[in-house]
Amino acid sequence: MTTTVTVKVYFEAAHRLHNPRHPDDWNQRVFGKCNNVHGHGHNYVIEISVRGEVDTDSGYLIDMKDLKAIVNRKVVDDVDHRHLNLEVPWLEES
């Protein structure tokens, strides 16, 4: 039987929206508080879905603890309580 399971994980992080092709007043007008030079914080939610065949012995598609651990290790550990523009190498060009 094919099924889908979804897990939600939460983290908090700061970022700054800024387009260097435009002057500071334009950036402030367009991005508002998200243009703060020191960053601006948000609470984020990531939803990860896995689809596949259920194991007939365990009744699991995947153990939810394992799925959360993977998401935490691959994503959340890098971004939680960080400045996304400055402290997360895989987001440097974002």
Side-chain angles (χ1 to χ4, degrees):
M1 176 171 92
T2 301
T3 192
T4 303
V5 296
T6 301
V7 65
K8 289 184 182 182
V9 294
Y10 302 86
F11 69 94
E12 298 171 353
H15 73 111
R16 181 181 187 210
L17 296 179
H18 183 80
N19 186 333
R21 292 179 291 149
H22 292 282
D24 288 343
D25 62 330
W26 182 92
N27 279 284
Q28 182 60 46
R29 187 176 65 256
V30 171
F31 299 123
K33 61 186 175 182
C34 289
N35 181 248
N36 185 315
V37 68
H38 301 292
H40 172 76
H42 292 278
N43 298 321
Y44 293 89
V45 178
I46 300 174
E47 292 186 17
I48 303 293
S49 296
V50 177
R51 182 176 174 84
E53 296 295 319
V54 174
D55 181 275
T56 55
D57 293 328
S58 68
Y60 287 171
L61 172 57
I62 185 171
D63 187 313
M64 298 301 278
K65 292 184 310 249
D66 293 341
L67 181 55
K68 282 186 178 183
I70 292 166
V71 175
N72 282 322
R73 187 174 64 248
K74 296 290 188 177
V75 179
V76 176
D77 290 350
D78 285 351
V79 297
D80 191 31
H81 290 91
R82 302 283 164 79
H83 191 297
L84 300 178
N85 303 83
L86 305 175
E87 299 180 87
V88 182
W90 49 268
L91 291 176
E92 282 182 0
E93 296 299 319
S94 299

